[in-house]
Amino acid sequence: MVMSASVFCGSRLGVGSAFADLAAHLGAGLARQGITLIYGGAKSGLMGVLADAALQEGGAVIGVIPTFLHHWEVMHEGVSELILTPSLHTRKQVMLDRAEAFIILPGGIGTFDELFEVLTWRHLRLHDKPIIILNYHGWADHLLASLKGAIAQGFADPDIQTCYEVMSDVDAVLSRLGTV
């Protein structure tokens, strides 16, 4: 069973309340399963909702945030542990080192960067930890199509698709984490 998971997600809430509900459901579920949440350290957007839900259920929450971002994404001072890093790259390295799995929730360019970093590292065999893309309401459809397009056009190895899993609901993700 996984004991810690890095979750990459948006510092914004997205349109409507469905994505915030998703983040809250995942945060609470991780806490109930005793899985330490490792995330980007912000109290805004989906990140804040995720962390707050885990904390409300008594879960351990580790926030990892570069010092320069705390001005934009106001650091979540209520987490179990807050790690300040000198750069985004260092943030990703800390999150990789501490996690036993990665979950990708809806987000923007920062979330894409984090996904592609851990995906590249996995493809290069620098780790073998599960990467789960939570494709809720189809938010990742275009992203996944881009990966398939790169494969079809000969720019990516077809086995890249074995480096990640796509799921559409939180309960499936939590179940999967229980089998690792």
Side-chain angles (χ1 to χ4, degrees):
M1 175 171 168
V2 166
M3 298 306 296
S4 62
S6 282
V7 178
F8 302 124
C9 61
S11 61
R12 297 177 183 200
L13 291 171
V15 176
S17 63
F19 296 120
D21 293 344
L22 172 78
H25 185 53
L26 179 64
L30 291 171
R32 283 193 294 271
Q33 284 191 209
I35 299 171
T36 298
L37 166 63
I38 303 162
Y39 85 111
K43 69 176 187 177
S44 61
L46 296 184
M47 282 197 263
V49 171
L50 175 77
D52 287 342
L55 291 166
Q56 287 172 2
E57 289 290 326
V61 178
I62 300 171
V64 185
I65 191 166
T67 53
F68 75 90
L69 274 183
H70 81 274
H71 299 292
W72 292 356
E73 296 178 343
V74 188
M75 289 184 284
H76 196 310
E77 301 290 343
V79 296
S80 311
E81 180 181 357
L82 185 62
I83 300 170
L84 297 174
T85 64
S87 67
L88 285 168
H89 180 74
T90 306
R91 173 201 229 179
K92 289 181 283 190
Q93 186 68 57
V94 168
M95 293 176 80
L96 174 92
D97 292 343
R98 289 194 169 215
E100 295 176 10
F102 303 96
I103 305 166
I104 317 307
L105 291 184
I109 192 88
T111 303
F112 297 158
D113 172 57
E114 292 159 337
L115 165 62
F116 280 107
E117 185 96 20
V118 297
L119 184 57
T120 299
W121 292 347
R122 170 113 188 230
H123 185 63
L124 295 174
R125 296 180 178 86
L126 298 176
H127 75 84
D128 64 352
K129 301 170 185 179
I131 300 169
I132 302 168
I133 300 170
L134 188 47
N135 190 17
Y136 187 69
H137 286 286
W139 84 270
D141 287 348
H142 296 290
L143 175 70
L144 296 167
S146 292
L147 283 170
K148 289 178 182 173
I151 292 166
Q153 295 171 3
F155 291 108
D157 196 318
D159 75 351
I160 193 76
Q161 294 176 102
T162 66
C163 295
Y164 62 89
E165 302 168 58
V166 180
M167 298 181 180
S168 60
D169 68 80
V170 170
D171 293 335
V173 172
L174 294 172
S175 177
R176 172 68 173 99
L177 295 178
T179 65
V180 175

